[in-house]
Amino acid sequence: MSHPSAPLSSADGPARSQCPYCGVGCGLEMKPPTAAAAGSEAIWAARGDRRHPSSLGQVCVKGATVGETLHRNRLTTPLYRQRTDQPFAPISWDRAFDLLEAQVRQTLAAKGPSGIAMYGSGQFQTEDYYVANKLFKGALGSNNFDANSRLCMSSAVSGYVRSFGSDGPPCCYDDLNLADTVLLIGTNTAECHPVLFQRLLKRKRKQKQALQIVVVDPRATATSDAADLHLAIRPGTDLALLHGLGHLLLEMGGVDRAYVQASTEGFEALVELWALWTPETVSRFCGIEERQLHQLAARWAESRTVLSLWSMGVNQSVEGTATVAGIINLHLVTGQIGKPGAGPFSLTGQPNAMGGREAGGLAKLLPGYRYVTEAGHRAELEQHWGLAAGAIAPESGLTVWEQIEGMERDALGLWWVAATNPLVSLPWLDRVRSAVARCPMVVLNEAYAGTETAAIAHLVLPAAQWSEKAGVMTNSERRVTFCPAFRGPPGEARADWAIFAELGRRLGFEAQFRYGSSAEVFAEFVAITAGRMCDLSGLSHGLLQEHGPQQWPFPTGTSPGGGAQRLHTTGRFPTASGRARLISEAPMGLGEPPDGDYPLVLTVGRYLEQWHTMTRTAHVERLLRPHDEPLLEVHPVDARAHGLVDGGRAEVSSRRGAVTATVQITERIRAGTVFLPMHWGAAQEQACEANRLMHELGCPISQQPELKAAAVRVQPSA
C-alpha cells in the first residue's frame, strides 16, 4: 500500500515536521502561538500530521507536548571554565572557537589525531552527522567519532550486515497491517514506540482473528497485555529461544527449502546447531513451559506472513548481534522476508539514528554505508571531500566505551560530546566520571542547561535544536522527512553542523566547509550515496519540502513516492555470493549472571511519558504526573526473601555502585528479576542513576553494552 505525498509546509498553514523523540518518526504539525496575554508563555501547539505516511495523524503524549519544551531551560551563550570545580562564565563565540582551535592543535601536536574524540547523537539531523564526520574522519584524520546509536541499535546494524551483506531495515510500517503473526521480542513497543503499537491495537480490534501478537519479555507490560502469547523468559536467553523455535520448525516441516537453496548459505551448520536446542532444553534454559514454545512454533509455521520487531532488549546484550542473526535466520529459512507483511524489523530508539547510519555516524563507518577499513571506500570519500590521498585513517575509531578507556590512560586531549547526555546513559557511571576527570578539555554542544554531562564539561556551546535549524531525519522504515526551522534559536545558539563547519574553516579547511546552508550540506551528502544500498541521491531539501517524506533507496531520477517500501524482494542479497548468510552461534547467556553475592538480575527500561535522560521531558508537568519518581519493580517472592515492603525504600547495589528507589511489589515481573527506569540522572530531584549499576561488557561484534542486565542485590533502605 502506498501513500500520497504532500508538501511539509505552506505559507498559510502550520509548520510540518518529524517528531524529535523516538525512531517511529511521526509527522507533526506545529501551530505558532497566538497573541498571548503579557507574561504568559508563547507555546507552539503540536498535533499529528494526517498527511505524514509513517504515522497518519497519530501522535503520543510526548509528541503532543513537544511545543512546551522548546523554550524552557535553554542555553543561550557559550560558557567556559578552566577547571570543573569552578563556576561557568559566559564567553563570546570567538573566544569559544579560539579555545577549541588551540586545544585541537595542541592535541594533534602532542598525541596525534587519535587524541581527539567526539560522541554524537541520534538527535542530530543528518546534516549535523555528515559535517561532524567530515571534520573528524576527513579533515582531522581521526575516526574517533561515535554516537549514542552505539547504545541503541549497533547490534542491529551488525546483524543486518553479517546476514544480508548490508545494513538497512528491509520492512516498512505498512507490514504491521499485513502480517498474520507479529513477534515482539526485546521491545516494550507500547511505551517505547507507542504510535506503532496503537496501529497494531487498532488492527487487532478490527481483525482479531487475522492478527496474532506474540511478546517475549521477562516483564508483563502494556505490550504483553495485548498479546495472544507472552513468553516471560529469563533475561539473556533470547537466542536460545530462537534456536528452539528453529528446532521445532524443522520438525514441523515449516522450512521453505526452495528459498533456502536459492537464496541462503550456511543451512547445514544451522541445522546441526538447532538440533541441540530441544524443547526440553529450551524450557529449562529460558524458564518457560514447553507448550509455550510449541505454541509459538505452530503459529509461525501456520502463518502466511510473519513480522518480527525488536529493539533494545535484543540489541543491548553481549550476544546482541548473534540474537539479531537468530531472528533473521528464522525469516530466511521460512521465506518470511522481502514480501508484504513479513521480515525482520529493527525499531530504532532515536529519531535520526537511521540518518546517522547513512552519514557514517559510528566509529567504523563512512557516509553511504561505507567502512573506514576499506581502501576503496576511503578513496571515494577523500576525493569527494577534496582531501589528499591517505587523509582518512585506515583503522576503526574508538567506540564510546573505548573513548572512556582512552581517557583513563590519558590518551585523549579533547572529548567533544554533542546532543546527548552520556553521564546518565552510559554504563558504570562512577567509572565514567573518574575517567572524564582526566581529560584536559571536555566540550559539550547542548540545547538545555544543567545536564549531568555539563557538570563534567569545561566548554559548553549553546546548540540550536529541532525546530530552530533546517535538516532531515530518517525514521525506522527508511523514510526521510524534512524538518524546517520554524522558530529562531534562543540567544546565540547555533546549529551543530554550523559549529563543526566553523571550526573546520579555522583549522585551514576553508574550501571543505564553505557551506551557505544546510541544503548545501545535504546535497553534498546525498551525492556520495549514489549507487549504494542507502541511495538518497535523488533527494533534496526542495523535493522533500514540495512532495513530503520519501523512502530510500531513492536514486537520481526517481519520481516522488517512488522509493522502495521493502528491501531484498528478489531473493538476492548484497553479499559476494548474492546469498544471505545463515549464522550459527551458540548462546552465551548474560555477561554478568547472578550469583550468591548478587542473586538478582536488574533490567532497565523506559516509561511512556519520559524521553531518555529527561533533558526535555522533565520540564513538562503533564509528563511527570504518571510517574513522578522511578519505581523498583520486585516480584512478591523476591520481596519476601529480601525483606522489602510495597512503598518502602530499597537499596539496589551491584559490583559498581548503589542506588535507592521506592519499591513496587508486583507479579508483573518474573521472580529473580527486578526493574528500574533509566531516566532519572543525578540532576533530577528524584535522582536514581540506574546505569551506575550496569557493567561495561558488550557484544564483541557490535560493541553495544549490555545495558539490559546486571547482577544486583536488594535490601531495605531507611
Side-chain angles (χ1 to χ4, degrees):
M1 170 178 159
S2 61
H3 301 286
S5 299
L8 277 180
S9 58
S10 61
D12 57 353
R16 300 177 60 211
S17 190
Q18 175 184 313
C19 178
Y21 286 117
C22 78
V24 174
C26 298
L28 293 182
E29 290 186 346
M30 303 298 299
K31 184 178 180 182
T34 56
S40 64
E41 291 183 320
I43 296 174
W44 284 74
R47 68 184 181 191
D49 180 1
R50 294 183 179 182
R51 292 173 289 179
H52 195 288
S54 288
S55 52
L56 305 175
Q58 298 301 302
V59 66
C60 77
V61 66
K62 292 189 294 294
T65 57
V66 70
E68 299 179 42
T69 72
L70 301 179
H71 60 288
R72 295 175 182 168
N73 197 44
R74 295 296 302 276
L75 290 164
T76 59
T77 188
L79 304 172
Y80 177 67
R81 57 187 177 185
Q82 191 171 11
R83 301 193 317 270
T84 57
D85 60 352
Q86 298 173 326
F88 281 112
I91 60 172
S92 68
W93 271 107
D94 275 344
R95 173 65 173 149
F97 280 117
D98 286 344
L99 289 164
L100 256 177
E101 181 184 350
Q103 190 64 29
V104 168
R105 293 189 184 279
Q106 179 182 333
T107 303
L108 289 174
K111 301 178 184 294
S114 63
I116 299 172
M118 175 174 280
Y119 184 50
S121 171
Q123 293 282 310
F124 277 168
Q125 291 175 339
T126 300
E127 295 81 356
D128 303 317
Y129 263 121
Y130 178 73
V131 178
N133 274 274
K134 185 178 182 181
L135 174 65
F136 267 72
K137 294 171 181 173
L140 299 178
S142 172
N143 291 329
N144 297 340
F145 178 96
D146 211 36
N148 56 16
S149 299
R150 178 71 58 189
L151 312 181
C152 166
M153 53 72 204
S154 54
S155 292
V157 173
S158 297
Y160 281 141
V161 171
R162 289 177 83 211
S163 296
F164 297 148
S166 174
D167 187 17
C171 308
C172 65
Y173 296 164
D174 278 355
D175 291 326
L176 295 167
N177 297 332
L178 302 171
D180 292 343
T181 294
V182 175
L183 173 65
L184 303 170
I185 178 169
T187 168
N188 180 9
T189 321
E191 298 196 69
C192 298
H193 298 92
V195 168
L196 292 187
F197 187 71
Q198 289 301 315
R199 191 164 176 168
L200 277 178
L201 284 187
K202 182 178 180 181
R203 183 180 169 215
K204 186 73 171 171
R205 286 193 293 267
K206 290 184 176 180
Q207 303 173 310
K208 188 171 184 179
Q209 301 306 315
L211 172 64
Q212 296 287 297
I213 298 175
V214 180
V215 172
V216 179
D217 193 326
R219 297 172 65 219
T221 64
T223 305
S224 66
D225 289 344
D228 299 281
L229 177 63
H230 175 208
L231 283 70
I233 62 172
R234 289 193 184 97
T237 64
D238 303 76
L239 184 55
L241 177 75
L242 297 169
H243 288 346
L245 176 55
H247 178 105
L248 287 178
L249 287 171
L250 279 171
E251 282 190 355
M252 299 166 64
V255 172
D256 185 340
R257 293 188 179 271
Y259 188 89
V260 168
Q261 184 174 3
S263 298
T264 73
E265 57 191 18
F267 182 63
E268 292 78 9
L270 185 61
V271 169
E272 290 182 12
L273 176 62
W274 280 354
L276 302 175
W277 291 93
T278 64
E280 180 182 6
T281 301
V282 172
S283 171
R284 184 171 59 252
F285 194 85
C286 297
I288 60 172
E289 298 177 14
E290 286 187 45
R291 66 172 180 84
Q292 294 180 297
L293 183 62
H294 281 279
Q295 286 176 300
L296 174 55
R299 286 180 180 175
W300 190 297
E302 293 165 3
S303 297
R304 292 178 303 104
T305 51
V306 180
L307 183 69
S308 296
L309 306 175
W310 78 90
S311 191
M312 264 36 87
V314 164
N315 295 334
Q316 291 177 336
S317 165
V318 294
E319 54 186 23
T321 303
T323 305
V324 171
I327 296 169
I328 294 173
N329 285 343
L330 292 167
H331 281 272
L332 288 171
V333 301
T334 57
Q336 293 285 357
I337 187 169
K339 61 183 183 180
F345 198 178
S346 162
L347 299 179
T348 51
Q350 294 269 359
N352 198 32
M354 276 299 303
R357 290 145 79 165
E358 298 152 13
L362 289 172
K364 66 180 180 181
L365 300 181
L366 289 170
Y369 282 5
R370 293 177 174 87
Y371 293 89
V372 299
T373 54
E374 295 286 336
H377 292 178
R378 295 195 303 274
E380 289 170 349
L381 265 298
E382 288 161 354
Q383 181 178 11
H384 193 65
W385 287 340
L387 299 170
I392 301 173
E395 304 87 13
S396 291
L398 300 177
T399 67
V400 62
W401 190 259
E402 290 169 339
Q403 292 175 13
I404 300 302
E405 293 174 329
M407 286 183 273
E408 288 180 325
R409 59 179 184 269
D410 299 323
L412 294 188
L414 171 66
W415 193 44
W416 195 343
V417 179
T420 188
N421 193 12
L423 269 294
V424 178
S425 57
L426 286 179
W428 203 343
L429 289 174
D430 291 350
R431 182 176 172 184
V432 172
R433 289 191 185 93
S434 296
V436 174
R438 303 178 66 92
C439 189
M441 179 177 278
V442 177
V443 181
L444 174 65
N445 288 21
E446 179 56 75
Y448 292 92
T451 69
E452 289 82 356
T453 303
I456 53 89
H458 302 95
L459 177 63
V460 177
L461 305 177
Q465 63 158 325
W466 173 90
S467 78
E468 300 155 3
K469 59 183 179 181
V472 307
M473 294 189 188
T474 308
N475 70 5
S476 292
E477 67 166 349
R478 298 173 283 103
R479 193 177 298 278
V480 184
T481 297
F482 177 72
C483 303
F486 55 82
R487 60 192 299 274
E492 300 174 45
R494 298 186 182 184
D496 294 286
W497 71 264
I499 296 171
F500 305 144
E502 174 67 17
L503 179 61
R505 292 192 293 269
R506 287 179 177 241
L507 290 170
F509 297 90
E510 177 68 30
Q512 285 79 6
F513 294 96
R514 192 187 297 122
Y515 299 114
S517 67
S518 61
E520 292 181 19
V521 175
F522 188 65
E524 180 182 302
F525 160 62
V526 299
I528 199 64
T529 69
R532 307 295 297 172
M533 174 69 79
C534 60
D535 193 332
L536 298 96
S537 59
L539 295 178
S540 66
H541 279 195
L543 184 146
L544 292 168
Q545 285 177 282
E546 182 178 357
H547 297 287
Q550 307 291 323
Q551 281 179 290
W552 63 252
F554 197 97
T556 299
T558 304
S559 299
Q565 279 194 294
R566 298 172 185 87
L567 305 180
H568 314 312
T569 56
T570 65
R572 305 305 291 169
F573 296 86
T575 61
S577 66
R579 298 168 180 268
R581 307 179 187 105
L582 296 168
I583 308 293
S584 301
E585 289 173 326
M588 295 185 292
L590 294 175
E592 186 183 67
D595 57 23
D597 294 325
Y598 297 92
L600 301 173
V601 175
L602 170 67
T603 188
V604 301
R606 291 156 175 78
Y607 288 155
L608 168 65
E609 298 80 14
Q610 294 304 326
W611 172 247
H612 288 199
T613 67
M614 299 174 70
T615 51
R616 274 196 187 105
T617 51
H619 304 288
V620 180
E621 181 183 354
R622 177 181 169 188
L623 299 181
L624 291 170
R625 287 185 202 134
H627 296 99
D628 59 0
E629 65 173 326
L631 297 177
L632 175 70
E633 295 182 14
V634 185
H635 190 274
V637 169
D638 295 320
R640 288 192 296 271
H642 298 281
L644 306 179
V645 297
D646 193 58
R649 299 285 289 177
E651 179 184 84
V652 188
S653 57
S654 74
R655 292 177 174 85
R656 293 154 295 278
V659 301
T660 58
T662 298
V663 174
Q664 181 182 45
I665 298 177
T666 174
E667 293 186 350
R668 290 175 65 79
I669 191 166
R670 65 172 294 136
T673 303
V674 295
F675 170 87
L676 277 174
M678 57 78 64
H679 309 290
W680 277 265
Q684 302 301 328
E685 184 177 348
Q686 301 287 350
C688 180
E689 298 176 285
N691 281 352
R692 285 185 70 198
L693 310 178
M694 311 310 285
H695 61 77
E696 87 290 7
L697 301 175
C699 172
I701 299 170
S702 70
Q703 282 82 52
Q704 182 160 352
E706 188 169 78
L707 282 166
K708 284 296 183 184
V712 298
R713 58 175 174 243
V714 296
Q715 60 188 37
S717 174

